[in-house]
Amino acid sequence: MNQRPPNRSSRLRWFLSRGVVVLVATSLLLALGSSGCMEKLFYYPTRGETIPPPHLADAQSVWFPSADGTRLHGWLIAAADGTPPQHAATILHVHGNAGNIESHVWFTEHLPPAGFNLFIFDYRGYGRSEGSARRRGPLIEDANAAVDALLSRPDVDPSRLGMYAQSLGGAIGLNVMADRPQVRAAVIESAFTSWREMAASAVGGDPPGRVSRFMAGLLIGDDHRPADAVARIDRPILLLHGTADSIVPVGHGRRLAAAGRTVQLVELDGGDHNSLRATHPEVDRLMIEFFRRELAPQ
């Protein structure tokens, strides 16, 4: 038995009801995006006391202000090969989004034994640093303040400053390096091309489809794009990215490399996001050789 087709008024009610749902959903997404609620999803800080691991027990606590006066905390770890600190190159570690310096120093703990000073700090809202992590602009200012803190120290050679930055830290660090020529070279690990594209990739894979890009466009702004920052940098950058990265797909690393002028991309076969040093021991060698070459005394 054939169903009777809906009449004109029924069809009109059907379209209107679904139009209201779409309108409400779109309005909600726009409200979330404009309020900055979605940007908070990029940040997973751990607050509280931070204690250096036993082999870095001589780490010196350093307090310094960000541009708005927020007090930030970090560790300065001197070169452990006998080189006086003022005669060693210094690496600024700009860490990723979860945890704090206590969990992130693992990524660079091999640098002091290789003859580098290491400075790792917590953004606002992380570890012992004051404030709360809400927007990327202040976090970029926090990293700029870390550069200023290093350049003001008599035991740091200002002509031999490098950067290591991982994941979210890569997005922050590239923006800082683009504006700070004092940073002579950088190792950037597992970074993304833009905030909006990262959100789209999280929803729709990589490369993200049109719907994912549209939704991401409603949810989050896209200023301070790492891909734009890397295009402005004329100093050496070593990009490290695992081909099996389950958080930031390797396509982001490839697009960053394509956008840069002085970028070398090393893809680590089968490597994931937070474990490249553990699964690919050559990471330590690549990083040390790069910094020794690019931060040699001038």
Side-chain angles (χ1 to χ4, degrees):
M1 180 176 179
N2 293 331
Q3 281 189 322
R4 183 178 178 182
N7 58 36
R8 182 179 300 174
S9 61
S10 297
R11 290 197 300 269
L12 181 60
R13 286 195 299 272
W14 187 89
F15 283 115
L16 285 175
S17 65
R18 278 145 186 82
V20 170
V21 170
V22 171
L23 180 61
V24 170
T26 302
S27 299
L28 178 60
L29 290 173
L30 288 171
L32 287 170
S34 63
S35 67
C37 291
M38 295 306 297
E39 287 195 6
K40 295 179 185 178
L41 297 178
F42 279 93
Y43 315 120
Y44 298 90
T46 298
R47 299 301 304 264
E49 190 72 16
T50 55
I51 303 172
H55 61 289
L56 299 175
D58 59 346
Q60 175 187 351
S61 274
V62 176
W63 291 91
F64 59 100
S66 192
D68 62 357
T70 301
R71 291 181 75 236
L72 306 176
H73 173 257
W75 294 332
L76 180 62
I77 305 162
D81 68 340
T83 304
Q86 64 271 23
H87 296 152
T90 300
I91 309 302
L92 170 64
H93 181 156
V94 186
H95 71 65
N97 68 349
N100 56 42
I101 57 175
E102 190 170 345
S103 54
H104 282 276
V105 73
W106 173 82
F107 290 91
T108 49
E109 64 182 6
H110 58 288
L111 293 179
F116 299 94
N117 302 324
L118 174 66
F119 184 55
I120 180 171
F121 74 99
D122 272 324
Y123 313 109
R124 62 189 61 211
Y126 287 74
R128 299 172 67 185
S129 293
E130 296 177 347
S132 59
R134 293 188 178 183
R135 295 174 56 243
R136 55 187 172 273
L139 269 62
I140 292 173
E141 288 305 312
D142 292 350
N144 267 306
V147 173
D148 291 334
L150 285 175
L151 295 177
S152 70
R153 296 184 63 93
D155 54 354
V156 169
D157 182 349
S159 70
R160 301 179 67 196
L161 178 61
M163 176 187 291
Y164 168 84
Q166 192 261 350
S167 190
L168 170 71
I172 301 293
L174 285 170
N175 275 279
V176 171
M177 187 178 181
D179 293 328
R180 303 299 297 265
Q182 299 95 330
V183 180
R184 281 177 49 185
V187 174
I188 306 295
E189 182 177 322
S190 309
F192 50 85
T193 56
S194 81
W195 309 85
R196 186 172 292 167
E197 191 164 350
M198 184 62 238
S201 290
V203 173
D206 190 68
R210 293 180 181 177
V211 174
S212 300
R213 291 181 185 275
F214 172 75
M215 297 293 287
L218 294 177
L219 295 172
I220 190 167
D222 210 22
D223 54 337
H224 303 296
R225 296 176 72 251
D228 293 340
V230 76
R232 296 192 286 122
I233 297 172
D234 59 359
R235 282 143 286 146
I237 296 174
L238 174 63
L239 289 183
L240 303 176
H241 215 119
T243 61
D245 195 317
S246 57
I247 297 177
V248 181
V250 67
H252 284 261
R254 292 167 182 166
R255 291 190 288 278
L256 279 175
R261 294 177 286 163
T262 55
V263 175
Q264 175 191 1
L265 171 64
V266 175
E267 296 185 17
L268 298 155
D269 189 39
D272 203 352
H273 191 70
N274 287 317
S275 56
L276 290 182
R277 282 194 67 221
T279 59
H280 295 72
E282 66 267 32
V283 164
D284 288 8
R285 175 183 58 79
L286 289 168
M287 196 183 305
I288 290 170
E289 289 178 352
F290 174 82
F291 281 134
R292 282 179 177 166
R293 180 176 66 252
E294 302 300 341
L295 299 179
Q298 294 179 323

